[in-house]
Amino acid sequence: MDRIRTVRKAVIPVAGNGTRFLPATKAVPKEMLTIVDRPVVQYAVDEARQAGIEHIVFVTSRNKQVIEDHFDDTPELISSLSRSGKNAQISELEAMLPKAGSVSFTRQQAPLGLGHAVWCARDLIGDEPFALLLPDMVSYGARGCMAGLMDLYREVGGNVVAVEQCAPEEASKYGIVGKGDTVRHGFSVTEMVEKPPAGQAPSNFYLNGRYILQPEIFSILAHQARGAGNEIQLTDGMLNLSADQPFHAHPYEGRTFDCGSKQGFIEANVAFALARADIGDVVFESVREIVLSHESRIRAA
């Protein structure tokens, strides 16, 4: 086996318009909507850092400057908190602050799809394997999804993707992979199909928004024809790359919330709130009362 090169960099695309969350996203990027008290994008950054990522490349677009501000120092705020004696909040903010030079931003000038957004990061990634985290997909579990993906990558090299299982009848909603030989932290991928017709999916393992890809993907995306939605699709690029390089999949043992949808965003807020030691019990009782009241209204209707 060729030497497995260390994954040091991650790409996080944050260029989307967030139209499914209008009017909230008219002035606030969807990635800055909060799950409890942390922006959605912060969860992706924390997951990447916990997996050992040293440098994060954000692919942004117009009106996303607030994301860059979020990952910058705020001396006026720190000074105000210090005068108020709020040392715990200062410590939390300082822990979230990236090291100098460990974050880069590049623009996707036109909304040409996820594949194009990844391609926009090519010069900042260079000739290195890299992680890719879709911030809308928020991992919830004892361990971050990217950490498990790193375990698989160190075992097999090449290209690796994270997957979860869906109900077989729902496979037509997702990008699905075919399951091949088992390895310690996952299995080989025999095929990838984007939203297969009902009853024709090769498995019920769907891509959940976490990847480690080799840099050859950039030259493929540079010439990739537009696919679904008249956009340059990452899945199409990965299919072309799989003709020359192996792909493996890591089944994530936690749960991923699709916070690009209203349902997933609300579910994530409830799940993360219930897991908090400071508010979990209160939230549980509140949710319980709301559910019981809702059920009562349904029975009375």
Side-chain angles (χ1 to χ4, degrees):
M1 180 186 296
D2 294 337
R3 180 179 65 88
I4 297 175
R5 295 185 290 173
T6 300
V7 177
R8 302 186 308 110
K9 299 178 181 179
V11 174
I12 299 182
V14 291
N17 291 324
T19 54
R20 285 187 286 179
F21 278 90
L22 286 170
T25 50
K26 181 176 182 290
V28 179
K30 65 174 182 174
E31 298 84 6
M32 291 302 294
L33 299 178
T34 58
I35 299 175
V36 187
D37 54 6
R38 300 168 76 84
V40 167
V41 69
Q42 184 69 54
Y43 289 88
V45 170
D46 291 345
E47 182 183 338
R49 292 170 66 182
Q50 290 164 6
I53 294 298
E54 301 171 8
H55 192 109
I56 293 175
V57 177
F58 290 96
V59 181
T60 70
S61 60
R62 289 181 294 278
N63 303 318
K64 296 293 183 93
Q65 295 91 338
V66 67
I67 297 175
E68 188 168 351
D69 292 340
H70 176 71
F71 292 104
D72 198 1
D73 195 8
T74 51
E76 299 86 357
L77 176 59
I78 297 298
S79 178
S80 176
L81 292 172
S82 180
R83 289 194 300 271
S84 302
K86 297 181 179 179
N87 297 323
Q89 289 174 302
I90 292 174
S91 297
E92 184 176 9
L93 290 174
E94 290 178 341
M96 290 167 48
L97 189 66
K99 295 179 181 178
S102 66
V103 173
S104 299
F105 294 82
T106 189
R107 284 285 184 96
Q108 181 187 27
Q109 284 85 359
L112 298 178
L114 176 58
H116 181 261
V118 172
W119 178 78
C120 288
R122 65 198 182 282
D123 288 338
L124 291 167
I125 297 298
D127 187 28
E128 298 184 37
F130 64 98
L132 171 63
L133 300 92
L134 308 188
D136 285 352
M137 307 301 286
V138 177
S139 298
Y140 177 78
R143 192 177 187 224
C145 182
M146 184 53 67
L149 208 57
M150 285 286 201
D151 289 340
L152 175 59
Y153 174 76
R154 284 189 284 264
E155 178 186 358
V156 300
N159 304 273
V160 297
V161 297
V163 295
E164 291 178 49
Q165 288 183 282
C166 64
E169 61 271 19
E170 295 184 353
S172 59
K173 300 178 182 179
Y174 303 100
I176 301 293
V177 303
K179 187 176 185 296
D181 294 337
T182 299
V183 295
R184 182 181 175 190
H185 296 288
F187 56 84
S188 63
V189 172
T190 58
E191 58 182 310
M192 288 179 279
V193 184
E194 186 65 30
K195 296 181 179 179
Q200 298 182 32
S203 77
N204 65 331
F205 285 99
Y206 70 92
L207 299 165
N208 75 351
R210 298 292 183 268
Y211 315 80
I212 294 175
L213 300 171
Q214 295 297 318
E216 287 78 12
I217 190 70
F218 292 124
S219 60
I220 291 174
L221 293 173
H223 303 95
Q224 182 67 54
R226 297 193 186 193
N230 197 33
E231 296 180 339
I232 299 172
Q233 297 292 338
L234 178 66
T235 303
D236 293 340
M238 292 195 301
L239 281 168
N240 287 328
L241 183 59
S242 67
D244 299 314
Q245 295 184 6
F247 272 75
H248 287 80
H250 167 69
Y252 179 45
E253 295 180 355
R255 178 178 178 182
T256 298
F257 292 103
D258 179 4
C259 292
S261 72
K262 295 173 184 177
Q263 176 183 334
F265 180 72
I266 293 169
E267 290 173 345
N269 266 281
V270 173
F272 278 90
L274 290 174
R276 291 270 295 257
D278 56 340
I279 60 173
D281 291 343
V282 174
V283 171
F284 176 81
E285 289 301 326
S286 296
V287 171
R288 180 174 176 273
E289 290 178 8
I290 292 169
V291 171
L292 291 175
S293 176
H294 181 70
E295 291 177 341
S296 177
R297 288 197 299 270
I298 291 176
R299 287 194 296 268

